Amino acid sequence: DQQVKQNSPSLSVQEGRISILNCDYTNSMFDYFLWYKKYPAEGPTFLISISSIKDKNEDGRFTVFLNKSAKHLSLHIVPSQPGDSAVYFCAASARGSNYKLTFGKGTLLTVNP
Amino acid sequence: ETGVTQTPRHLVMGMTNKKSLKCEQHLGHNAMYWYKQSAKKPLELMFVYSLEERVENNSVPSRFSPECPNSSHLFLHLHTLQPEDSALYLCASSQDYIRGTGLKKGTEAFFGQGTRLTVV
């Protein structure tokens, strides 16, 4: 049973446009959410996170939105750049087991020049 | 460069071999992790060490044996693996393992580049 779902395996966007990556979760105990970015032949790198007490967190071109009632979060990248092309993983953690990140399968983002 | 270094980057081993994966972190973190990434599957947590003590073992077969001699180093000893164990093995570290208090900024995990393991 997959508790964190990224239903789009891939997304293609034009440079300069907005990229929206989606993530759904089923475990209502999750209270912390993270996005990781992964280039080929490299490990994932932390990108941005959000606590369940917030509905939005912004860091430069990256904004994460959390809709707790829908158990949905999204990552917005504006404007998208070719260097943003990578696999993006959504991850979640529950209070009391914060070290245990549950990951989605990832979405491959391709930003075309 | 994330501050977490894994060696080797690639490893091919036979089913009767014994090998070890090494992870080293220079971030002063207290918690270290082994993850497995198989094709078309989510990252799976295998083991967690906090202050050199194993605090999590996610039903991993005994042919995988972790070792954490100090807070900067983590090993994964491999023996009599199966072809289905072929995967990318990722090491990660985080500042702390905080039991029961929830997450706060700074406890995000930092990953190494991974070891691509092929069992033949």
Side-chain angles (χ1 to χ4, degrees):
Chain A
D1 175 36
Q2 218 177 320
Q3 298 186 61
V4 178
K5 299 177 184 178
Q6 293 177 258
N7 292 319
S8 298
S10 63
L11 173 68
S12 186
V13 170
Q14 208 62 30
E15 181 179 5
R17 299 291 183 94
I18 183 172
S19 295
I20 301 177
L21 298 139
N22 293 305
C23 179
D24 297 292
Y25 62 95
T26 57
N27 187 345
S28 57
M29 297 301 291
F30 286 147
D31 63 352
Y32 198 76
F33 305 88
L34 307 91
W35 284 95
Y36 283 83
K37 175 179 174 180
K38 183 180 183 301
Y39 292 116
E42 293 186 15
T45 55
F46 169 73
L47 193 58
I48 193 169
S49 62
I50 188 167
S51 165
S52 60
I53 62 172
K54 295 186 175 182
D55 54 19
K56 176 182 173 182
N57 188 24
E58 193 171 348
D59 184 0
R61 296 187 296 115
F62 301 92
T63 303
V64 56
F65 295 92
L66 175 63
N67 183 335
K68 290 186 288 295
S69 60
K71 293 193 178 68
H72 176 84
L73 66 155
S74 60
L75 175 68
H76 293 213
I77 306 174
V78 181
S80 302
Q81 299 173 354
D84 295 329
S85 298
V87 177
Y88 288 79
F89 291 96
C90 172
S93 181
R95 181 174 297 277
S97 62
N98 59 297
Y99 58 88
K100 200 168 187 173
L101 293 174
T102 302
F103 284 85
K105 288 186 179 181
T107 297
L108 173 62
L109 173 66
T110 303
V111 180
N112 301 305
Chain B
E1 175 60 50
T2 63
V4 181
T5 305
Q6 287 186 245
T7 55
R9 293 291 306 277
H10 301 272
L11 178 63
V12 179
M13 61 185 289
M15 290 190 284
T16 58
N17 291 159
K18 288 185 181 180
K19 297 285 183 184
S20 295
L21 309 184
K22 180 182 176 182
C23 177
E24 188 172 356
Q25 57 97 359
H26 308 281
L27 303 167
H29 287 171
N30 294 317
M32 296 186 77
Y33 315 78
W34 280 115
Y35 282 87
K36 174 183 178 182
Q37 186 177 25
S38 304
K40 298 183 181 179
K41 283 189 175 182
L43 279 166
E44 301 170 59
L45 179 65
M46 299 175 72
F47 301 103
V48 181
Y49 276 82
S50 174
L51 298 172
E52 301 146 45
E53 178 186 348
R54 191 191 309 182
V55 295
E56 183 77 12
N57 177 347
N58 269 8
S59 303
V60 179
S62 59
R63 56 186 184 269
F64 295 92
S65 174
E67 178 191 1
C68 187
N70 55 63
S71 59
S72 299
H73 293 87
L74 185 66
F75 295 91
L76 187 62
H77 303 299
L78 315 170
H79 63 98
T80 60
L81 295 192
Q82 305 298 311
E84 59 265 30
D85 296 321
S86 298
L88 179 69
Y89 289 84
L90 289 157
C91 172
S93 71
S94 65
Q95 182 62 56
D96 288 298
Y97 152 54
I98 305 172
R99 187 192 295 274
T101 62
L103 273 174
K104 56 186 179 184
K105 187 173 174 62
T107 59
E108 298 88 359
F110 293 81
F111 286 82
Q113 292 175 301
T115 296
R116 174 66 63 185
L117 173 67
T118 304
V119 181
V120 297

